[in-house]
Amino acid sequence: MDLTKRFNKQVDKIAVSLIRQFDERVSSIPNILKLTLGEPDFNTPEHVKNAGSQAITDNFSHYTGMSGLPDVRQAASQFLEKKYHVSYDWQSEVLVTVGATEAISASLLGILEPGDKVLLPAPIYPGYEPVITLADAEIIYMDTSDNGFVLSPELLEATLEEHGEKVKAVILNYPSNPTGVTYSREEVQALADVLKKYPVFVISDEIYSELTYDEDHVSIAEYLREQTILINGLSKSHAMTGWRVGFIFAPKELTKEIIKVHQYLVTAAATVSQKAAVQALVEGINDAQVMKKEYQERRDFVYEKMTSFGFEVAKPSGAFYIFAKIPANCIQDSMEFCVDLAEKEALAVIPGIAFGDAGEGYIRISYAASLANLEEAMTRMERYITEK
Ligand SMILES: Cc1ncc(COP(=O)(O)O)c(C=O)c1O
């Protein structure tokens, strides 16, 4: 009896992300230096950890309501208002999720039906496509690689026109993983002006909003509240990846629907994590600043080194990634390049193909690593490139 044949056919079409696959593949190489995973190398701030410990002592070991503890939702709504000038009613328009990951799944599964189309700027973080596929919807890419990885309003409008009524949602992610590129106020406004003409949901994943280096982050919800499902969380801003806290902010009619999917996926986010989240959002409202200063130094260092080695890089203005074009004299296939680099120099970076076809020919370096490790990584990269 082969029960695997009886699986949901859509599951056959998805796979463990290439980022994880590649990371596992190179992990056994002796002395490997990994700049692979998108996670802060900082520890969660002490005061936030203490709030988590206190919550355990105080027996916060029961379920919370589906949408999360009132004090977290209030704190999240105030955080958003203070930082990005968008306001959501904490009682009916805020959901606490298990990381941004569950926020993405609950939103997409809440809105998609078989045959719907979802537009994605490419290259793109690989956390959306599998959920779209599970819902039997179709992915349409908008390749931004010849426009400095910025989605232009013209390309967005042309794609919306081409695919017509079947388009159910557009996903935005800025600052972007993998490119680090973000959008200025004018760019956000121009995209919103196009989107408001179409009856589509806009899922805006702004998980890196606290990590912008040049200008303050502008949420598209400021211009397009009624259509936007805004996703954020504490993984990157407060170095809390393992606590699994994310948020959905959306108009109450949409939240009311998404909450049903959220309930049956997870019931609610972990209670101890939610208590720590209140501390992070209120007392730690500016915790990202210290990390941001260090990330910026690292960005400048890696950017300068990589360009001096002959890589073309669109200078990132957010997140903690450098997305670099492989120089012409090197292996052009990004997977082969990264495997060769890992085998010869014990340096692991992610092949651009992990972010879709539009990422082929590039590599992604995560600079969420100590300056000492980045210096060593750049020494290895230079040796590899000059020996080509
Ligand atoms: C763009 C983007 N969205 C979502 C996530 C997932 O975040 P979380 O840890 O909150 O689930 C990541 C993590 O790397 C990401 O880069």
Side-chain angles (χ1 to χ4, degrees), residues 35-55:
L35 304 179
T36 47
L37 297 185
E39 94 159 313
D41 59 314
F42 296 99
N43 291 322
T44 301
E46 277 312 305
H47 69 107
V48 177
K49 290 198 293 195
N50 292 341
S53 304
Q54 193 60 46

Side-chain angles (χ1 to χ4, degrees), residues 30-35 298 301-302 305-306 309 341 344-349 365 369-385:
N31 197 25
I32 189 84
L33 178 50
K34 294 202 287 184
L35 304 179
R298 299 167 186 186
F301 171 72
V302 178
K305 286 284 177 195
M306 291 295 286
F309 303 157
L341 175 67
K344 295 208 171 106
E345 287 296 341
L347 174 61
V349 300
I365 297 176
S370 69
L371 210 45
N373 275 352
L374 293 172
E375 278 166 8
E376 175 58 26
M378 290 301 105
T379 303
R380 294 184 193 187
M381 182 66 90
E382 182 169 25
R383 203 162 48 216
Y384 179 77
I385 287 294

Side-chain angles (χ1 to χ4, degrees), residues 221-241:
E222 207 186 307
Y223 295 101
L224 204 65
R225 193 182 187 285
E226 293 315 305
Q227 281 167 261
T228 302
I229 298 171
L230 175 58
I231 292 176
N232 213 317
L234 301 180
S235 288
K236 319 291 173 171
S237 59
H238 290 76
M240 288 178 72
T241 48

Side-chain angles (χ1 to χ4, degrees), residues 145-195:
S145 53
D146 59 4
N147 192 44
F149 302 117
V150 173
L151 173 64
S152 68
E154 292 78 20
L155 177 59
L156 174 63
E157 180 136 38
T159 318
L160 281 160
E161 282 297 320
E162 183 186 342
H163 293 277
E165 284 179 6
K166 282 277 182 206
V167 180
K168 180 69 76 67
V170 177
I171 294 184
L172 298 176
N173 165 229
Y174 67 96
S176 153
N177 175 6
T179 67
V181 164
T182 195
Y183 293 95
S184 66
R185 176 167 291 282
E186 291 69 35
E187 285 166 337
V188 170
Q189 214 171 345
L191 293 177
D193 284 344
V194 171
L195 288 161

Side-chain angles (χ1 to χ4, degrees), residues 19 37-39 97-104 124-128 172-178 205-208 231-236 240-242 244-247 319-321 364:
I19 300 180
L37 297 185
E39 94 159 313
T97 58
V98 180
T101 304
E102 192 246 326
I104 293 165
I124 186 83
Y125 167 68
Y128 315 110
L172 298 176
N173 165 229
Y174 67 96
S176 153
N177 175 6
D205 178 350
E206 302 181 16
I207 187 86
Y208 294 99
I231 292 176
N232 213 317
L234 301 180
S235 288
K236 319 291 173 171
M240 288 178 72
T241 48
R244 313 304 301 127
V245 179
F247 303 102
F320 38 63
Y321 307 105
R364 187 195 75 175

